[in-house]
Amino acid sequence: MNDVEDVRMLIGLAHRQARTILLVGLPIFLLSLVIVFSFTPRYTAQSLVLVDTSSKNLLDPDAATTSGPTDNSRVEGEVRIIQSDAVVLEAIRDGKLLSDPEFALNRFNDRLLSAAGLAADALRRCGAG
């Protein structure tokens, strides 16, 4: 057999199985389109903050400054407070982000989450439901 016959045989096979290919491939393609276009993009950000806990004497810049181990634990505690769910949810409420179209909840996602029983709790925590 040569390459031309192989190509003809593959084309014939694809032609005979076209209905099966469409019945399997089309739903998968349509489902992937629905998923891609229904989910809103998720934006993330990172920042780096320098916390200087040493007490400096501005009148005497050559004076030695010390920072103790309690400074590190204080900074770690403040970072945990900032990362807490309560602070994030308060920022969502204060900024009225749920009514902002850019941050609005996607209704298709709401239906999917409510089907899984997850949306009500998230909305209640945000103060929207």
Side-chain angles (χ1 to χ4, degrees):
M1 291 181 112
N2 60 22
D3 292 337
V4 175
E5 290 177 6
D6 290 342
V7 171
R8 285 184 186 160
M9 190 169 61
L10 287 175
I11 292 173
L13 177 67
H15 182 60
R16 287 189 302 274
Q17 299 298 326
R19 184 176 181 165
T20 304
I21 293 169
L22 284 176
L23 287 176
V24 171
L26 189 62
I28 292 172
F29 176 72
L30 292 175
L31 180 63
S32 63
L33 281 179
V34 167
I35 290 171
V36 166
F37 288 112
S38 66
F39 291 141
T40 55
R42 183 175 184 171
Y43 299 101
T44 60
Q46 292 182 347
S47 64
L48 180 62
V49 178
L50 173 65
V51 179
D52 188 7
T53 59
S54 62
S55 57
K56 295 181 181 177
N57 184 355
L58 296 177
L59 299 175
D60 187 12
D62 295 331
T65 58
T66 61
S67 64
T70 58
D71 292 337
N72 289 336
S73 61
R74 189 182 102 209
V75 170
E76 286 178 20
E78 290 177 3
V79 168
R80 287 195 178 132
I81 290 171
I82 291 171
Q83 291 176 337
S84 71
D85 288 343
V87 172
V88 172
L89 294 174
E90 186 67 28
I92 291 171
R93 271 188 232 108
D94 288 348
K96 297 181 176 68
L97 297 180
L98 291 175
S99 61
D100 187 341
E102 185 176 353
F103 296 99
L105 297 172
N106 187 325
R107 297 301 164 210
F108 180 75
N109 290 352
D110 293 345
R111 288 192 296 266
L112 285 177
L113 289 173
S114 64
L118 301 173
D121 182 47
L123 288 175
R124 223 181 357 266
R125 288 173 46 194
C126 288

